[in-house]
């Protein structure tokens, strides 16, 4: 059974910080600000009173299954060229959400629908967050 851990990729950048902050209020200690820079993740999470934890994660490299083992949801706030990370999440039964607006990328993720269904996972694509920032 998966936990309720939530990983926000690029969680220490503008949109990611916002999402981390909101989810950290609801799921304190279960939200991870992830990205390629452990230093940036630690700097941001140090201001969050333990509600958000740092995580070193480069979605362009092979991801050990143990790194995602407790994740229930991954939210990506980072432009991607391929759907390998999305596939990794969906095959593992991890719900996947992407903030990207790139049709070219999102159409690749859409092709993973059968895989998501077979793994009892869901993907939410092209999330519009603009009203939150007004």
């Amino acid at each position: 059974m998966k936990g309720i851990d939530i990983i926000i990729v690029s969680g220490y950048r503008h949109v990611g910080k916002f999402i981390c902050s909101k989810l950290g209020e609801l799921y304190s200690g279960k939200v991870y600000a992830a990205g390629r820079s452990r230093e940036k993740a630690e700097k941001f999470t140090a201001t969050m009173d333990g509600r958000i934890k740092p995580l070193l994660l480069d979605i362009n490299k092979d991801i050990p299954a143990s790194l995602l083992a407790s994740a229930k949801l991954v939210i990506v706030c980072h432009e991607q060229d391929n759907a390998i990370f999305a596939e990794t999440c969906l095959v593992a039964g991890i719900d996947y959400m992407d903030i990207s607006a790139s049709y070219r990328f999102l159409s690749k993720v859409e092709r993973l629908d059968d895989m998501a269904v077979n793994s009892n996972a869901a993907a939410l694509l092209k999330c519009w967050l603009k009203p939150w920032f007004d």
Side-chain angles (χ1 to χ4, degrees):
M1 175 91 173
K2 295 224 174 263
I4 59 166
D5 289 351
I6 303 168
I7 298 172
I8 300 17
V9 177
S10 284
Y12 47 77
R13 299 191 55 146
H14 184 68
V15 173
K17 280 183 179 180
F18 176 80
I19 293 171
C20 280
S21 296
K22 294 297 182 185
L23 291 175
E25 293 172 10
L26 298 171
Y27 302 102
S28 184
K30 296 289 188 176
V31 177
Y32 292 82
R36 295 178 296 195
S37 172
R38 176 123 187 134
E39 181 182 336
K40 289 178 183 177
E42 287 176 346
K43 182 178 178 183
F44 167 61
T45 59
T47 66
M48 295 287 111
D49 299 322
R51 292 187 313 271
I52 302 164
K53 300 175 185 176
L55 180 65
L56 179 62
L57 177 67
D58 186 345
I59 63 173
N60 296 310
K61 296 183 178 178
D62 287 335
I63 310 288
S66 61
L67 195 61
L68 301 176
S70 67
K72 176 59 183 148
L73 171 64
V74 170
I75 302 172
V76 179
C77 309
H78 175 76
E79 292 295 324
Q80 300 173 76
D81 293 322
N82 63 61
I84 294 170
F85 182 68
E87 182 176 344
T88 299
C89 293
L90 294 171
V91 165
I94 300 167
D95 294 333
Y96 178 87
M97 183 173 161
D98 203 293
I99 308 302
S100 175
S102 165
Y103 175 76
R104 194 163 141 214
F105 167 71
L106 294 175
S107 64
K108 293 175 185 178
V109 178
E110 287 174 347
R111 290 185 214 126
L112 303 174
D113 184 59
D114 289 341
M115 185 179 303
V117 170
N118 291 336
S119 298
N120 199 29
L124 179 60
L125 307 176
K126 196 174 178 184
C127 304
W128 186 247
L129 300 176
K130 178 82 171 108
W132 287 359
F133 291 98
D134 288 340

